[in-house]
Amino acid sequence: MAPAAAEKPEKPGAQGVGPRTQLAKVPLSGVDMTQTYVNPINLPGMAVRNIVGTMPPTDANVANTSQIPASLNLPTWTAASGRTLSSRSSVGFTRISENSARTGADWSAVNVDGTIYLYASGAMQNAPNNNRTVWSTTDYLTWTPHEMNLGLVAPTVVQVGDTFYMAGNNTPVYRADSPTGPWTSMGSFLRPNGQVLSVGDVQFFLDTDGRLYLTYNIGSPIMGAELDPNNPRQLISDPVVLWTFDPRQEWQHIGDNKATYTHGYVEGSQLFKLGDTYYLQVASGGTEFTTYATGVMTSDRPLSGFKETQRNPIGAGNNHPSSVYPNAGHGSFVVDDSGNLVFFYTYVIAYEEFFERRLGMDVCTVIPNGPQQGAIDCELSNTPQLAPGRKISGRDDVGLYNVATNSQAYWSSSYAPGRNPYYGSDRSLSTWWEPADNDNAPTYIRGFGTVFHISAAQIQWKELGRTFTKDNAVQYTLEYKDIPTNTWRTLVDRSTNTTAYTADYVTFDRVLTNAVRLKILGTTENVKVGVHELNVFGENYHLVASKGMLTP
């Protein structure tokens, strides 16, 4: 019996329906790769957090249940009860940190005359100086760090007229004449009756009518109030509940596996407006877990009536549950001068300890019509995307795959015990390849298992030890194997690099190859480094098409 002819995949939109299966990526033509980015964002000078954990010598107090019965015996539970139970159930456990770690989270963006300023939590140590850096960009590709005179945890900034106001977790309100400071204290938030209000995970929102609002809380419920725009520390309405934890919604559960109904740490709220619709976004699931996620609710009023009118969390179904493909945690939306709705979010790693985080960025859209009209649609990305405002044929994704994931094709000049070269491309940021201590010329080769045209790479560095600072820069070269001559040729020369990147994204002229070679030359602070992930982006679509396997 003759085999049946292969059925061609249904084209998107055919007969009014989408494809039945996910279609393969097709590379965009005419792409300038220097106009692309990859998550996590290549942000210079991120803060360093140093937490040292020591494991108890015995298990005598581990899994201590002495504080649990009172919580279990409550006749009814609230989200706060769940958080209490969580802390009591963790008595005696300790988390070990092998090294200091880069970190940045709780991203808050402000558009100031076309320049995007991005504020963040840093090491969350020694506040109010935990992270005094604010980054600015006009193209989403080049980020300039600015040092401020103070740094806050989970900061928020708003511009009212010519004045900028900043606040953070349980801080006073500060004012400045510039988005980079210097900042001076105005005093704490005050309720309408003059009582001091101490709040966490705060966000300002200036409405189109000039009215100013505040949303806040770490842990359910999310609260909101109106502020005096001429004196933003003063509430002119009593706080009201905007949103609360719903244990029936799995995305709000805490934990990587979402098994816990009791609490979700609903936090990181932001109120914003698109057209006539008010949007409230909240994070939930725990900032130490890769399933930390963001959901969005809508209303026609700023302080009431919020309903879930879309599928949550943001980006659900477009990524994978591993630390290379995390959900989008505590962050903020901003509309730029070109009308792009850009979402900056917390990208969780959390290996060394639970505040190890990075920056993610993707462009979102508002669904214009149909049953989901008004819903915010975001596809979280982990391969090269055109920077906001640079679409080609309506596409952001340039159609490249991460080709450096073949588990059998690797080589290194050495490796430390338990840090073999497999871990340099295993799709997990919880592991890394590390050269041996006596290796004076660390070299790492990644093979692709077949041949690809490649045009970009991302090296996610693992700085080792506890002595490096936010200014530590890695110096290296990246080469490719030239197939016709069977020799190594240079792709990128960063032998004199002095910019401290944690996830170094580089682009280069398109080449056909089966492997790349990374040579680590050292760092500006003489720190040993390994590689969390060496990602290489390319395609063999055109090669396959030229051999007749793909038909128009």
Side-chain angles (χ1 to χ4, degrees), residues 176-217:
D177 296 326
S178 160
T180 61
W183 301 94
T184 58
S185 176
M186 299 174 60
S188 299
F189 286 105
L190 299 174
R191 295 178 182 269
N193 64 4
Q195 181 184 9
V196 170
L197 177 67
S198 182
V199 292
D201 275 10
V202 293
Q203 278 287 333
F204 292 118
F205 164 61
L206 183 65
D207 205 345
T208 51
D209 60 4
R211 297 173 73 175
L212 184 64
Y213 299 91
L214 179 75
T215 61
Y216 64 91
N217 231 355

Side-chain angles (χ1 to χ4, degrees), residues 8-33:
K8 291 185 178 180
E10 189 173 19
K11 293 182 179 180
Q15 300 178 348
V17 298
R20 287 170 293 185
T21 57
Q22 181 68 37
L23 294 179
K25 290 186 177 185
V26 177
L28 276 174
S29 60
V31 174
D32 177 358
M33 289 299 295

